[in-house]
Every structure is written in structure tokens, then in C-alpha cells.
């Protein structure tokens, strides 16, 4: 019986010694890790240091854009002498920024301008996020560059697509948990903003895909070209009978 007790005590002592050795080794490793982290990352918490480590260089490099302004702008100005490129570019950037802020704040009223198509697209996106219990956030938005990348003319529609290089701090959440990105994570993206020419707003609102009316308001004859000042058949002025404007119909991440 005595030998059993002694044997048990010895085993317990050995177990305690092993535990002590493991704890001592753990403390030494922890101390070395903290010392290393403090020396090179200025914090004893290595995990925090890793999370706060500098991002990849690509996160700080603006995206390139398809710059075709010099190709398309002369034709646009020829067709539409009243087209002011700098003003339209500024409006496109404002639409893009306000669209992202609308998503960030879950408030469609933040959108500065746009057709019913664009407004409905934004509202649908917000509804989908709400239904899924999710949110997307865009902070410190900065637009590096905006250029015309496409100019299209089809029957009943004329569109100019501006492409912008954008950076922001982005994160997505489900409930209270961040599922993508981070509040201090910089992101570079590219967006297309479509600008369409509208000759008759009532027609456009009733027929979203039409883009504009192409008939003379006096005789009904087809207009010879977009931007025509008068009808080639009855010589009636077109500008005074129709609302002519440009408006934004789409915002799309590329």
C-alpha cells in the first residue's frame, strides 16, 4: 500500500514538473513574441500588428480607366454643340459619389440626379440589402480620374459612358459583424456612369428604353439626326417644342 502511495506521489510530482516546464516554455515564447512585436511593430499584440500591417501596394494604386475622350468628344460636340464636357464630367462624378453615399446611408434620396431607371435600380439594391440584413459602407470617397470611354448612337437613343477610377474605405456587414473589407481598409475600384440624351422627358419616362423622341413635334417626320435644331421637312424649330436635356441612367461597378 505504501509503495502505491509513493508511486502516485511520484507520478503527480512528475506531472507537475512537466506542467511547469510547459508553462515556463510558453512564457518564454510569449515574452519573445511580445518583444519581437514591440520592437518591429510598436505593439506587444502580434495579432493586432498583423491586422494593422500595411496593405498591399495595389490597394494604394488607382485603377486605370479606358480614356477615349479625345476620340469621342469631337463627334459629340459636332452632334451637340451645347455639350459642355467639363460640366458633364463633374455631374457624372457627383452622381457616382452620391450613389455610393446613398448605399452607405441606406437612403435613396441622397442621389443627386438620375432617370427613373437609375433611381429604381438604387432602391432595388437598398431593398435587397435590407431584406438580407446586410449593409455596405463607402467612406472617404475620392475620384482619381474620369474619362469618356464609350459613345453610342442607336435609333432612339444616344449614350455617353464616363469611366471613373475611385478609392474609398469599404466594408460590408451582416448585422453587427463585418463580413468583407474593413473600416480602415482602402479599396480601389472602377465605375461606369451612363449619360443619355433625352429629347422628350415624357416619352422617356413612359418608355425607359427609348432614350429620346426622334420625331418632329409639328409634322411627325423623323428628325435627320440627334441634336437637330429644326425639322428638315417642315422647317419647324425643334428646340422650342421639346424638352432637351442630358440625364444619368446607370451606375455600374466594373
Amino acid at each position: 500500500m505504501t509503495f502505491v502511495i509513493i508511486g502516485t506521489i511520484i507520478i503527480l510530482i512528475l506531472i507537475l514538473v512537466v506542467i511547469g516546464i510547459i508553462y515556463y516554455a510558453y512564457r518564454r515564447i510569449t515574452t519573445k513574441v511580445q518583444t519581437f512585436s514591440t520592437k518591429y511593430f510598436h505593439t506587444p499584440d502580434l495579432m493586432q500588428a498583423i491586422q494593422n500591417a500595411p496593405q498591399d501596394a495595389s490597394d494604394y494604386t488607382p485603377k486605370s480607366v479606358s480614356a477615349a475622350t479625345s476620340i469621342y468628344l469631337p463627334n459629340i460636340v459636332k452632334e451637340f454643340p451645347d455639350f459642355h464636357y467639363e460640366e458633364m464630367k463633374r455631374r457624372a462624378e457627383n452622381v457616382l459619389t452620391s450613389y455610393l453615399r446613398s448605399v452607405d446611408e441606406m437612403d435613396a434620396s441622397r442621389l443627386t440626379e438620375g432617370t427613373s431607371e437609375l433611381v429604381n435600380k438604387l432602391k432595388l439594391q437598398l431593398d435587397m440589402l435590407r431584406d438580407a440584413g446586410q449593409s455596405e459602407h463607402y467612406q472617404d470617397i475620392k475620384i482619381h480620374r474620369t474619362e469618356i470611354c464609350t459613345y453610342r448612337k442607336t435609333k432612339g437613343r444616344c449614350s455617353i459612358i464616363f469611366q471613373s477610377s475611385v478609392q474609398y474605405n469599404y466594408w460590408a456587414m451582416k448585422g453587427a459583424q463585418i463580413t468583407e473589407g474593413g473600416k480602415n481598409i482602402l479599396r480601389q475600384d472602377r465605375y461606369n456612369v451612363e449619360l443619355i440624351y433625352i429629347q422628350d422627358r415624357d416619352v422617356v419616362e413612359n418608355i425607359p428604353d427609348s432614350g429620346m423622341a426622334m420625331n418632329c413635334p409639328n409634322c411627325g417626320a423623323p428628325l435627320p439626326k440627334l441634336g437637330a435644331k429644326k425639322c428638315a421637312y417642315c422647317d419647324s424649330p425643334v428646340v422650342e417644342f421639346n424638352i432637351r436635356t442630358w440625364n444619368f441612367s446607370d451606375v455600374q461597378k466594373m
Side-chain angles (χ1 to χ4, degrees), residues 69 73 76-77 80-97 112-113 143 146-148 158-164 193-198 201 244-250:
T69 303
L73 187 56
I76 295 172
V77 173
F80 303 97
D82 297 330
F83 183 88
H84 299 288
Y85 170 68
E86 290 298 332
E87 176 189 351
M88 292 301 179
K89 182 174 75 169
R90 177 185 55 80
R91 286 174 59 187
E93 292 179 342
N94 287 340
V95 167
L96 173 56
T97 301
T112 54
E113 61 175 308
I143 297 179
T146 298
E147 297 282 352
I148 295 174
C158 173
S159 72
I160 298 171
I161 296 180
F162 289 91
Q163 188 167 102
S164 295
V193 178
E194 184 178 26
L195 175 67
I196 63 171
Y197 179 78
I198 301 172
R201 182 176 296 278
R244 287 188 163 193
T245 186
W246 293 88
N247 209 346
F248 295 91
S249 63
D250 194 23

Side-chain angles (χ1 to χ4, degrees), residues 150-163:
T150 304
Y151 173 46
R152 291 194 296 256
K153 287 176 59 178
T154 59
K155 184 178 181 180
R157 188 180 184 91
C158 173
S159 72
I160 298 171
I161 296 180
F162 289 91
Q163 188 167 102

Side-chain angles (χ1 to χ4, degrees), residues 76-82 151 153 158 197-199 212-217 221-233 235-244 246:
I76 295 172
V77 173
K78 182 178 179 181
E79 293 286 350
F80 303 97
D82 297 330
Y151 173 46
K153 287 176 59 178
C158 173
Y197 179 78
I198 301 172
Q199 185 166 337
M212 69 188 80
M214 288 294 292
N215 295 339
C216 170
L223 298 179
K225 65 176 181 176
L226 299 173
K229 298 296 183 181
K230 61 182 180 179
C231 176
Y233 296 91
D235 209 34
S236 295
V238 177
V239 175
E240 290 150 4
F241 288 98
N242 290 279
I243 299 174
R244 287 188 163 193
W246 293 88

Side-chain angles (χ1 to χ4, degrees), residues 39-208:
K39 180 178 180 180
Y40 292 99
F41 301 107
H42 308 292
T43 174
D45 189 339
L46 183 60
M47 292 304 297
Q48 181 182 356
I50 293 173
Q51 291 176 358
N52 294 335
Q55 293 175 249
D56 188 87
S58 62
D59 296 326
Y60 294 93
T61 304
K63 295 282 188 180
S64 61
V65 297
S66 299
T69 303
S70 60
I71 298 174
Y72 292 121
L73 187 56
N75 290 333
I76 295 172
V77 173
K78 182 178 179 181
E79 293 286 350
F80 303 97
D82 297 330
F83 183 88
H84 299 288
Y85 170 68
E86 290 298 332
E87 176 189 351
M88 292 301 179
K89 182 174 75 169
R90 177 185 55 80
R91 286 174 59 187
E93 292 179 342
N94 287 340
V95 167
L96 173 56
T97 301
S98 66
Y99 189 97
L100 296 176
R101 286 176 177 161
S102 295
V103 176
D104 176 76
E105 300 176 18
M106 300 292 282
D107 182 3
S109 67
R110 291 299 306 271
L111 185 65
T112 54
E113 61 175 308
T115 64
S116 59
E117 295 173 86
L118 181 58
V119 174
N120 290 336
K121 176 181 178 176
L122 173 59
K123 289 181 177 179
L124 178 61
Q125 182 177 351
L126 298 183
D127 288 341
M128 292 175 63
L129 288 171
R130 289 191 189 97
D131 292 343
Q134 298 175 348
S135 61
E136 294 183 350
H137 300 277
Y138 303 84
Q139 293 291 316
D140 299 324
I141 301 168
K142 178 181 180 181
I143 297 179
H144 296 290
R145 184 182 181 186
T146 298
E147 297 282 352
I148 295 174
C149 71
T150 304
Y151 173 46
R152 291 194 296 256
K153 287 176 59 178
T154 59
K155 184 178 181 180
R157 188 180 184 91
C158 173
S159 72
I160 298 171
I161 296 180
F162 289 91
Q163 188 167 102
S164 295
S165 172
V166 192
Q167 80 171 32
Y168 38 61
N169 291 332
Y170 169 84
W171 67 97
M173 301 185 69
K174 186 171 181 62
Q177 182 178 0
I178 295 178
T179 57
E180 182 182 354
K183 295 182 179 181
N184 297 315
I185 302 297
L186 194 64
R187 181 163 170 170
Q188 304 286 345
D189 280 319
R190 202 168 23 233
Y191 282 84
N192 280 358
V193 178
E194 184 178 26
L195 175 67
I196 63 171
Y197 179 78
I198 301 172
Q199 185 166 337
D200 188 327
R201 182 176 296 278
D202 291 334
V203 171
V204 172
E205 293 300 326
N206 293 328
I207 311 175

